[in-house]
Amino acid sequence: MPPVTSDVQGKGTPGGTKAGKARRGGSPRAREGAHTREREPGGATGGRATMCELYSKQDTLALRRKHIGPSCKVFFAADPIKIVRARRQYMFDERGEQYLDCVNNVAHVGHCHPEVVKAALKQMELLNTNSRFLHDNIVEYARRISATLPEKLSVCYFTNSGSEANDLALRLARQFRGHQDVITLDHAYHGHLSSLIEISPYKFRKGKDVKKAFVHVAPTPDTYRGKYREDHADPASAYADEVKEIIEEAHNSGRKIAAFIAESMQSCGGQIIPPAGYFQKVAEYVHRAGGVFIADEVQVGFGRVGKHFWSFQMHGEDFVPDIVTMGKPMGNGHPMACVVTTKEIAEAFSSSGMEYFNTYGGNPVSSAVGLAVLNIIENEDLQGNATRVGDYLTELLNKQKAKHTLIGDIRGVGLFIGIDLVKDRQKRTPATEEAQHVIYKMKEKRVLLSADGPHRNVLKIKPPMCFTEEDAKFMVDQLDEILTVLEEAIGAQSESVISESAPCRAKVRKSLLLCF
């Protein structure tokens, strides 16, 4: 993994700029397995990182346990990392150790991008105030973001988070024709507000939460381990027909559909890419029922798929959602989110007589930061980079799939990729314990990944958009080493090395994971 050696973000950016082409991510790591520390001027290591600490790591942990709610979890809970600063696709702990960030889709254009910092500082020195005052930044941002969307999506509502955006999208949908019911996908997650937990099966607690009568859950359009798989003649139509049946059953019960909501690519659900044609068919059924289609782009928008600015655009020009929600990458870590819809839906919302008011949504500083992010995506050709690096990374991972029996599926587009780990390729049995083992071992090698999906067996890759081919190669090399050792330990590369019965083999398998 190349060490960060410059404060100037542009020098390490791998897009279509001259600077990016001149420097494809820096030098490789000097020693395999060595701890990497960023060197400060004069040869000191990690000095700036140490200066950022108020408390020792142990004191920070103790204070967190005392004052932060126990339901607020941290990454790598068994051995959490204390991150004190970051730059581009790298994060640094309190000792100055450098980690390659392969999962932080919030720092979309790179951690602490100097142009984002400069835009925020410049506007903060001038003004930051209530969004009810007239200001150019909010209308300029609305103009710019609308230009990236299909023509009919032209009315913006600004919020501070993706959760707020999705909550507002539900309000818009329900006001449109006075309907109440919502169709969501199994394993979906749309935010932490009460209105969104109700439509997020990812958060349903088995045996404790009762699904509300107005919520209808459709099967995830997963062609790898879902109801209709890649060998089905027309999985898109089959999954869409499930939605059609839900609508018919709801109507038979006297209920009316307000909206179908889905991430354009399901993230928490396990990096799922819907089959081509699915969204078009669902939209047809939902519109016929008087509902609207909400595309949740909070995690997958802003050029992450490479060839398109929005993930829903992969489905073709004949598919246009009625409402699009966005957040996370919008402000590169600054709290900024948005709902974009049609004039017809916006006018129906206004006709309710209730004013929509958000004190800070689209405030001058947030809008300035958002504009800087849009400029960086364009100026540094980060969409092109997502395509180039994403294709290269997918190619490397497919070679690993041919080598490692633990890899059942590689799926993704651009810099949004999932590695589905399995214990048995034929049965596609989720390798949950193995996935947890892998992410901790990757952390030891200074690579940050997470595991998600219904079975927590899918390794998620969605790094900052300045991720380079060298970063991809480094990450895959570390994964290769870990899987090789793991498969040797559990006998995954040979025919039933362990002769015990299946239950005994499972116990042995789990004990091996805990031993190394």
Side-chain angles (χ1 to χ4, degrees):
M1 174 169 46
V4 177
T5 56
S6 171
D7 284 334
V8 182
Q9 172 123 2
K11 290 183 179 178
T13 303
T17 60
K18 292 180 180 178
K21 291 178 179 177
R23 184 178 183 273
R24 299 289 289 177
S27 309
R29 212 175 202 175
R31 302 189 309 278
E32 187 61 37
H35 296 323
T36 305
R37 291 194 178 197
E38 181 175 7
R39 296 202 171 264
E40 303 297 335
T45 60
R48 216 175 303 161
T50 304
M51 290 172 62
C52 293
E53 282 194 279
L54 290 175
Y55 306 102
S56 68
K57 182 176 179 178
Q58 288 307 116
D59 286 345
T60 301
L61 278 169
L63 285 167
R64 185 179 180 95
R65 293 188 189 105
K66 181 178 181 180
H67 295 296
I68 307 299
S71 57
C72 301
K73 305 299 183 183
V74 295
F75 287 128
F76 309 106
D79 182 24
I81 308 171
K82 184 177 182 181
I83 296 296
V84 296
R85 64 190 181 91
R87 192 179 314 145
R88 298 203 304 272
Q89 61 271 46
Y90 306 108
M91 304 180 80
F92 299 87
D93 67 13
E94 79 282 6
R95 298 174 299 166
E97 302 289 357
Q98 176 179 299
Y99 292 84
L100 178 62
D101 184 358
C102 298
V103 76
N104 205 320
N105 62 328
V106 179
H108 192 64
V109 299
H111 291 280
C112 306
H113 195 295
E115 292 302 315
V116 173
V117 174
K118 184 164 62 176
L121 177 60
K122 182 179 178 181
Q123 184 57 51
M124 287 176 74
E125 288 179 331
L126 289 173
L127 170 73
N128 197 28
T129 188
N130 192 304
S131 299
R132 280 182 161 180
F133 288 103
L134 199 60
H135 197 275
D136 288 344
N137 285 3
I138 187 172
V139 295
E140 174 63 5
Y141 190 89
R143 184 188 70 82
R144 288 278 301 276
I145 204 68
S146 296
T148 68
L149 291 159
E151 187 176 359
K152 78 170 190 175
L153 294 168
S154 60
V155 182
C156 302
Y157 296 86
F158 290 94
T159 66
N160 304 295
S161 70
S163 291
E164 282 189 21
N166 281 330
D167 176 77
L168 178 57
L170 292 180
R171 288 178 58 193
L172 289 165
R174 284 170 168 154
Q175 177 62 32
F176 185 46
R177 288 200 172 95
H179 300 177
Q180 290 298 312
D181 287 25
V182 177
I183 302 174
T184 186
L185 293 178
D186 203 5
H187 313 307
Y189 174 64
H190 294 290
H192 63 80
L193 301 183
S194 296
S195 63
L196 303 171
I197 295 296
E198 291 174 344
I199 64 163
S200 296
Y202 178 79
K203 289 292 186 181
F204 288 175
R205 297 171 298 169
K206 292 181 181 178
K208 295 183 179 180
D209 282 340
V210 177
K211 182 175 68 64
K212 301 293 192 297
F214 61 80
V215 178
H216 310 276
V217 180
T220 302
D222 178 0
T223 57
Y224 178 67
R225 61 171 70 254
K227 188 174 182 179
Y228 308 106
R229 300 186 175 183
E230 71 276 3
D231 57 352
H232 191 280
D234 187 1
S237 294
Y239 278 117
D241 285 345
E242 296 278 346
V243 176
K244 182 181 179 183
E245 289 181 20
I246 286 173
I247 293 172
E248 291 172 351
E249 290 175 7
H251 285 178
N252 291 337
S253 301
R255 310 195 68 89
K256 295 181 179 180
I257 303 300
F260 172 89
I261 183 170
E263 289 181 276
S264 301
M265 297 189 294
Q266 211 171 13
S267 181
C268 293
Q271 308 295 84
I272 305 300
I273 290 82
Y278 171 70
F279 279 166
Q280 282 93 332
K281 289 180 172 62
V282 168
E284 178 186 341
Y285 299 145
V286 171
H287 288 155
R288 195 184 301 165
V292 301
F293 193 112
I294 302 172
D296 181 341
E297 293 268 340
V298 170
Q299 295 211 50
V300 297
F302 291 87
R304 180 159 293 279
V305 296
K307 293 181 180 179
H308 302 284
F309 200 83
W310 303 105
S311 295
F312 73 78
Q313 292 171 324
M314 292 190 300
H315 296 270
E317 293 183 2
D318 60 331
F319 170 66
V320 180
D322 303 291
I323 301 173
V324 175
T325 61
M326 53 195 77
K328 289 186 191 300
M330 195 171 184
N332 208 55
H334 185 88
M336 185 182 188
C338 186
V339 179
V340 186
T341 189
T342 66
K343 287 185 178 180
E344 184 183 13
I345 293 173
E347 287 170 0
F349 187 56
S350 179
S351 69
S352 70
M354 182 183 293
E355 175 189 3
Y356 173 71
F357 172 57
N358 189 313
T359 305
Y360 298 112
N363 68 74
V365 171
S366 293
S367 298
V369 166
L371 287 167
V373 170
L374 293 179
N375 290 338
I376 293 163
I377 293 171
E378 181 179 353
N379 295 340
E380 297 181 2
D381 187 28
L382 293 185
Q383 276 186 252
N385 188 63
T387 298
R388 290 186 295 273
V389 178
D391 288 350
Y392 176 66
L393 177 54
T394 300
E395 179 186 346
L396 292 178
L397 289 173
N398 278 320
K399 290 179 180 178
Q400 293 300 310
K401 179 184 174 183
K403 179 178 179 181
H404 296 290
T405 56
L406 274 169
I407 298 178
D409 190 36
I410 303 294
R411 53 181 176 264
V413 184
L415 287 175
F416 182 88
I417 299 171
I419 307 171
D420 198 312
L421 299 185
V422 296
K423 296 178 182 180
D424 185 304
R425 277 192 177 177
Q426 295 301 315
K427 297 178 181 178
R428 304 186 180 184
T429 313
T432 302
E433 295 86 0
E434 289 83 351
Q436 301 307 310
H437 173 83
V438 168
I439 63 172
Y440 272 88
K441 285 294 180 181
M442 289 291 278
K443 178 176 76 79
E444 291 177 11
K445 292 177 175 289
R446 305 293 183 260
V447 178
L448 303 181
L449 283 175
S450 66
D452 217 328
H455 309 286
R456 295 290 195 274
N457 70 305
V458 180
L459 304 182
K460 296 171 68 172
I461 303 171
K462 46 187 181 69
M465 295 276 281
C466 51
F467 206 69
T468 68
E469 289 183 0
E470 187 175 24
D471 295 325
K473 179 68 164 57
F474 178 79
M475 188 211 80
V476 173
D477 285 347
Q478 310 316 303
L479 181 64
D480 180 22
E481 289 182 13
I482 291 168
L483 291 178
T484 298
V485 174
L486 179 56
E487 288 176 339
E488 288 175 354
I490 62 179
Q493 291 177 319
S494 61
E495 293 184 7
S496 190
V497 188
I498 305 169
S499 60
E500 289 91 339
S501 63
C504 292
R505 286 202 302 272
K507 290 179 182 178
V508 172
R509 184 186 192 100
K510 191 165 185 178
S511 67
L512 284 168
L513 291 175
L514 299 173
C515 288
F516 71 96

